């Protein structure tokens, strides 16, 4: 263990002496914005070979966030591919969550090695975990490969990291139980999202027109210009009729009437590249469908062997990348359903998901297969390549259903598990 990590471990022993009493920390296994995760074993029971994962939450983390993470692990964890909790230790402002250690691969290391059958198992197990938490009306809000641990040999899976979760049995930052059906994120999510005012119309300029992929990056679609327009009124039905009230609708300016409006608040917790259109467009009403979108983005990564698929510098850029995949019309229509007018600089047709994914994947596999970087653990690259030349069409149908830009019609975890990709395309 390197010296700096050794120092961190010593500091952790000091900040929570009970950790030092019971555990021997072996190594650091993860670090995120809000925590460091260590691998440990029991100090006084050398015969116990089981390992533990110790998640040390940074002392600056809001207590509501910590409480919510624990509530989720306690209430939902330990079954259906959701990580459970063994113990929680606290000393003053330091909190450590003790979980079973779950040996896992890094997604980017195995992406190229996944066969279609493996992709199916992976997605099925992710959906099993999402079905479990969504049944309890919990939104994870940070679904992505690094929060869905996968042990390839054992074919085991675990959804982790409920630091951003929201749901009715969780609390918001003011310490209030979340009462409304509109979820309030426990994180730092309730921030004004734009210097401009409520009900923003997002104008996304996409140029040049794009129908081709660059070889190495998934979607290099530069946005030349971005500006916000303001439209009045809030309900999805009827805001156009009220447009007479203000004089900036559709214009690249914000009128004084609109400046006087309240800032619109909407949760935007999550990771760049995994946010759903309704999150990017600041819809205040978000539900479990945001997790399905993130899982769909993960599926897109697997099918195209590109990770991350969306490399988003900001929300507008990410939205433009989504639009260039799904097409303008579907996105404009979807935005309408949650009360947003999306003005685009040009009309783009949807890409054919199958063609796009398989083209990307085959270029990726042909550059990696046979090269020295290719893992020797894979004995049958021919089988692997073969599996990707015979992907059942159901896979892309499911992908399209998960990446439905309209959260109301997007497939749910429960429905997805009954999709023919799982029920009729068995291994
Ligand atoms: P953060 O909120 O900092 O992202 P996570 O809960 O996602 O914290 O944990 C960070 C990383 O630590 C994970 O991506 C994973 O690699 C590792 N990790 C988390 N929990 C476990 C566990 N129970 N077993 C093994 N590794 C884990
Ligand atoms: Mg994480």
């Amino acid at each position: 263990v390197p010296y700096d990590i050794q120092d961190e471990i010593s500091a952790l022993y000091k900040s929570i002496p009970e950790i030092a009493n019971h555990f021997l920390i072996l190594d650091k296994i993860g670090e995120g914005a809000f925590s460091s995760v260590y691998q440990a074993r029991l100090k006084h029971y050398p015969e116990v070979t089981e390992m533990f994962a110790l998640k040390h939450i940074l002392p600056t983390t809001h207590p509501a966030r910590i409480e919510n993470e624990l509530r989720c692990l306690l209430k939902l964890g330990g079954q259906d591919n959701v990580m459970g909790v063994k113990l929680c230790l606290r000393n003053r402002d330091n909190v450590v969550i003790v979980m079973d250690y779950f040996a896992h691969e890094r997604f980017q290391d195995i992406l190229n090695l996944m066969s279609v059958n493996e992709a199916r198992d992976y997605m099925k197990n992710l959906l099993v975990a999402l079905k479990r938490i969504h049944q309890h009306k919990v939104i994870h809000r940070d679904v992505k490969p690094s929060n869905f641990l996968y042990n390839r040999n054992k074919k085991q899976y675990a959804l982790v990291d409920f630091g951003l979760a929201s749901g009715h049995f969780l609390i918001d930052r003011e310490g209030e139980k979340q009462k409304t059906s509109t979820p309030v994120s426990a994180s730092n999510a309730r921030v004004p999202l734009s210097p401009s005012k409520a009900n923003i119309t997002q104008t996304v300029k996409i140029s040049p027109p794009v129908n081709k992929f660059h070889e190495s990056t998934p979607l290099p679609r530069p946005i030349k210009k971005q500006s916000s327009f303001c439209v009045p009124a809030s309900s999805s039905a009827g805001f156009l009729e009220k447009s007479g009230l203000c004089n900036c609708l559709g214009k690249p300016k914000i009128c004084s009437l609109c400046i006087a409006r309240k800032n619109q608040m909407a949760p935007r917790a999550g990771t760049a590249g995994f946010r759903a259109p309704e999150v990017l467009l600041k819809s205040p009403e978000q539900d479990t469908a945001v997790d399905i979108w993130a899982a769909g983005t993960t599926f897109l990564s697997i099918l195209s062997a590109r990770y991350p698929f969306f490399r988003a510098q900001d929300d507008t850029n990410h939205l433009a990348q989504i639009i260039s995949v799904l097409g303008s019309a579907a996105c404009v229509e979807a935005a309408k359903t949650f009360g947003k007018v999306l003005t685009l600089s040009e009309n783009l047709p949807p890409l054919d998901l199958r063609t796009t994914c398989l083209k990307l994947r085959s270029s990726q596999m042909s550059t990696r297969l046979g090269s020295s970087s290719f893992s020797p653990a894979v004995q049958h690259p021919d089988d692997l390549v073969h599996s990707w030349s015979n992907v059942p069409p159901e896979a892309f149908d499911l992908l399209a259903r998960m990446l439905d830009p309209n959260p109301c019609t997007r497939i749910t975890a429960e429905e997805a598990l009954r999709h023919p990709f799982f029920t009729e395309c068995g291994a």
Side-chain angles (χ1 to χ4, degrees), residues 29 32 35 37 53 55 83 100-102 104 146-147 149 161:
I29 47 179
S35 75
V37 182
K55 179 168 177 171
M83 177 60 68
D100 282 325
Y101 173 72
F102 191 101
H104 59 282
S146 63
N147 288 336
L149 312 184
D161 197 356

Side-chain angles (χ1 to χ4, degrees), residues 200-244:
I200 291 137
T201 309
Q202 201 94 17
T203 295
V204 181
K205 183 135 183 161
I206 305 163
S207 64
V210 274
N211 291 313
K212 247 182 18 205
F213 284 104
H214 189 274
E215 275 302 306
S216 56
T217 52
L219 283 166
R221 316 247 155 133
I223 296 171
K224 275 273 173 62
K225 195 181 123 199
Q226 167 207 345
S227 57
S228 295
F229 294 104
C230 191
V231 297
S234 56
S235 71
S236 54
F239 62 85
L240 285 174
E241 296 94 277
K242 293 190 193 166
S243 63

Side-chain angles (χ1 to χ4, degrees), residues 31-33 35 37 55 65 140 142 144 146-148 160-163 271:
E31 184 172 63
S35 75
V37 182
K55 179 168 177 171
R65 191 189 155 112
H140 183 284
D142 202 14
K144 59 178 176 178
S146 63
N147 288 336
F148 185 60
V160 298
D161 197 356
F162 287 86
T271 300

Side-chain angles (χ1 to χ4, degrees), residues 235-257:
S235 71
S236 54
F239 62 85
L240 285 174
E241 296 94 277
K242 293 190 193 166
S243 63
L245 294 173
C246 96
N247 55 26
C248 62
L249 180 66
K251 295 180 196 148
K253 64 168 191 173
I254 300 166
C255 70
S256 54
L257 252 168

Side-chain angles (χ1 to χ4, degrees), residues 183-320:
V184 178
S185 170
S187 72
N188 50 349
R190 286 227 153 200
V191 292
L193 288 158
S194 162
S196 59
K197 298 293 167 170
N199 300 302
I200 291 137
T201 309
Q202 201 94 17
T203 295
V204 181
K205 183 135 183 161
I206 305 163
S207 64
V210 274
N211 291 313
K212 247 182 18 205
F213 284 104
H214 189 274
E215 275 302 306
S216 56
T217 52
L219 283 166
R221 316 247 155 133
I223 296 171
K224 275 273 173 62
K225 195 181 123 199
Q226 167 207 345
S227 57
S228 295
F229 294 104
C230 191
V231 297
S234 56
S235 71
S236 54
F239 62 85
L240 285 174
E241 296 94 277
K242 293 190 193 166
S243 63
L245 294 173
C246 96
N247 55 26
C248 62
L249 180 66
K251 295 180 196 148
K253 64 168 191 173
I254 300 166
C255 70
S256 54
L257 252 168
C258 289
I259 282 177
R261 291 177 205 280
K262 278 199 299 192
N263 273 321
Q264 183 161 43
M265 305 291 205
R268 75 180 290 283
T271 300
F274 290 89
R275 292 194 179 96
E278 64 271 26
V279 179
L280 298 172
L281 284 166
K282 299 154 193 161
S283 167
E285 265 160 61
Q286 298 172 22
D287 64 14
T288 50
V290 303
D291 289 343
I292 299 296
W293 175 275
T297 303
T298 304
F299 195 20
L300 183 59
S301 263
I302 298 174
L303 293 174
S304 63
R306 299 293 162 118
Y307 176 75
F309 191 91
F310 296 116
R311 271 176 229 268
Q313 295 93 329
D314 56 53
D315 286 355
T316 310
N317 188 286
H318 185 192
L319 194 61

Side-chain angles (χ1 to χ4, degrees), residues 15 18 26 46 51 58 89 98 116 126 156 176 181 194 239 243 245 254 260 278 295-296 337 339 346 381 418:
S15 45
E18 268 206 89
L26 306 173
M51 299 285 187
L58 293 187
L89 294 171
V98 180
V116 176
L126 174 54
Q156 287 173 349
E176 293 269 316
S181 60
S194 162
F239 62 85
S243 63
L245 294 173
I254 300 166
E278 64 271 26
T337 66
E346 57 193 281
R418 293 195 303 258

